[in-house]
mmCIF file with all atom_site columns, all heavy atoms in Angstrom:
data_model
loop_
_atom_site.group_PDB
_atom_site.id
_atom_site.type_symbol
_atom_site.label_atom_id
_atom_site.label_alt_id
_atom_site.label_comp_id
_atom_site.label_asym_id
_atom_site.label_entity_id
_atom_site.label_seq_id
_atom_site.pdbx_PDB_ins_code
_atom_site.Cartn_x
_atom_site.Cartn_y
_atom_site.Cartn_z
_atom_site.occupancy
_atom_site.B_iso_or_equiv
_atom_site.pdbx_formal_charge
_atom_site.auth_seq_id
_atom_site.auth_comp_id
_atom_site.auth_asym_id
_atom_site.auth_atom_id
_atom_site.pdbx_PDB_model_num
ATOM 1  N N   . LEU B 1 193 ? -60.320 -113.229 269.348 1.00 0.00 ? 193 LEU B N   1
ATOM 2  C CA  . LEU B 1 193 ? -61.298 -113.067 268.282 1.00 0.00 ? 193 LEU B CA  1
ATOM 3  C C   . LEU B 1 193 ? -62.651 -113.555 268.802 1.00 0.00 ? 193 LEU B C   1
ATOM 4  O O   . LEU B 1 193 ? -62.815 -114.723 269.144 1.00 0.00 ? 193 LEU B O   1
ATOM 5  C CB  . LEU B 1 193 ? -60.820 -113.943 267.072 1.00 0.00 ? 193 LEU B CB  1
ATOM 6  C CG  . LEU B 1 193 ? -61.548 -113.810 265.724 1.00 0.00 ? 193 LEU B CG  1
ATOM 7  C CD1 . LEU B 1 193 ? -62.952 -114.365 265.763 1.00 0.00 ? 193 LEU B CD1 1
ATOM 8  C CD2 . LEU B 1 193 ? -61.517 -112.392 265.197 1.00 0.00 ? 193 LEU B CD2 1
ATOM 9  N N   . PHE B 1 194 ? -63.595 -112.634 268.912 1.00 0.00 ? 194 PHE B N   1
ATOM 10 C CA  . PHE B 1 194 ? -64.925 -112.978 269.317 1.00 0.00 ? 194 PHE B CA  1
ATOM 11 C C   . PHE B 1 194 ? -65.710 -113.370 268.081 1.00 0.00 ? 194 PHE B C   1
ATOM 12 O O   . PHE B 1 194 ? -65.950 -112.583 267.189 1.00 0.00 ? 194 PHE B O   1
ATOM 13 C CB  . PHE B 1 194 ? -65.599 -111.813 270.025 1.00 0.00 ? 194 PHE B CB  1
ATOM 14 C CG  . PHE B 1 194 ? -64.977 -111.472 271.339 1.00 0.00 ? 194 PHE B CG  1
ATOM 15 C CD1 . PHE B 1 194 ? -64.228 -110.351 271.493 1.00 0.00 ? 194 PHE B CD1 1
ATOM 16 C CD2 . PHE B 1 194 ? -65.137 -112.319 272.456 1.00 0.00 ? 194 PHE B CD2 1
ATOM 17 C CE1 . PHE B 1 194 ? -63.620 -110.041 272.730 1.00 0.00 ? 194 PHE B CE1 1
ATOM 18 C CE2 . PHE B 1 194 ? -64.544 -112.023 273.678 1.00 0.00 ? 194 PHE B CE2 1
ATOM 19 C CZ  . PHE B 1 194 ? -63.769 -110.863 273.815 1.00 0.00 ? 194 PHE B CZ  1
ATOM 20 N N   . LEU B 1 195 ? -66.077 -114.642 268.057 1.00 0.00 ? 195 LEU B N   1
ATOM 21 C CA  . LEU B 1 195 ? -66.828 -115.177 266.903 1.00 0.00 ? 195 LEU B CA  1
ATOM 22 C C   . LEU B 1 195 ? -68.309 -115.189 267.292 1.00 0.00 ? 195 LEU B C   1
ATOM 23 O O   . LEU B 1 195 ? -68.759 -115.992 268.096 1.00 0.00 ? 195 LEU B O   1
ATOM 24 C CB  . LEU B 1 195 ? -66.363 -116.590 266.592 1.00 0.00 ? 195 LEU B CB  1
ATOM 25 C CG  . LEU B 1 195 ? -66.701 -117.123 265.226 1.00 0.00 ? 195 LEU B CG  1
ATOM 26 C CD1 . LEU B 1 195 ? -66.237 -116.217 264.120 1.00 0.00 ? 195 LEU B CD1 1
ATOM 27 C CD2 . LEU B 1 195 ? -66.074 -118.547 265.087 1.00 0.00 ? 195 LEU B CD2 1
ATOM 28 N N   . LEU B 1 196 ? -68.982 -114.175 266.749 1.00 0.00 ? 196 LEU B N   1
ATOM 29 C CA  . LEU B 1 196 ? -70.372 -113.945 267.175 1.00 0.00 ? 196 LEU B CA  1
ATOM 30 C C   . LEU B 1 196 ? -71.359 -114.756 266.391 1.00 0.00 ? 196 LEU B C   1
ATOM 31 O O   . LEU B 1 196 ? -71.314 -114.738 265.132 1.00 0.00 ? 196 LEU B O   1
ATOM 32 C CB  . LEU B 1 196 ? -70.677 -112.410 267.037 1.00 0.00 ? 196 LEU B CB  1
ATOM 33 C CG  . LEU B 1 196 ? -71.975 -111.944 267.547 1.00 0.00 ? 196 LEU B CG  1
ATOM 34 C CD1 . LEU B 1 196 ? -72.087 -112.031 269.076 1.00 0.00 ? 196 LEU B CD1 1
ATOM 35 C CD2 . LEU B 1 196 ? -72.212 -110.533 267.105 1.00 0.00 ? 196 LEU B CD2 1
ATOM 36 N N   . SER B 1 197 ? -72.174 -115.481 267.040 1.00 0.00 ? 197 SER B N   1
ATOM 37 C CA  . SER B 1 197 ? -73.303 -116.168 266.346 1.00 0.00 ? 197 SER B CA  1
ATOM 38 C C   . SER B 1 197 ? -74.603 -115.552 266.850 1.00 0.00 ? 197 SER B C   1
ATOM 39 O O   . SER B 1 197 ? -74.611 -114.913 267.887 1.00 0.00 ? 197 SER B O   1
ATOM 40 C CB  . SER B 1 197 ? -73.243 -117.678 266.592 1.00 0.00 ? 197 SER B CB  1
ATOM 41 O OG  . SER B 1 197 ? -73.216 -117.893 268.020 1.00 0.00 ? 197 SER B OG  1
ATOM 42 N N   . GLY B 1 198 ? -75.671 -115.823 266.180 1.00 0.00 ? 198 GLY B N   1
ATOM 43 C CA  . GLY B 1 198 ? -76.978 -115.163 266.541 1.00 0.00 ? 198 GLY B CA  1
ATOM 44 C C   . GLY B 1 198 ? -76.914 -113.717 266.165 1.00 0.00 ? 198 GLY B C   1
ATOM 45 O O   . GLY B 1 198 ? -76.153 -113.295 265.315 1.00 0.00 ? 198 GLY B O   1
#
Side-chain angles (χ1 to χ4, degrees):
Chain B
L193 191 290
F194 293 108
L195 197 54
L196 186 68
S197 53

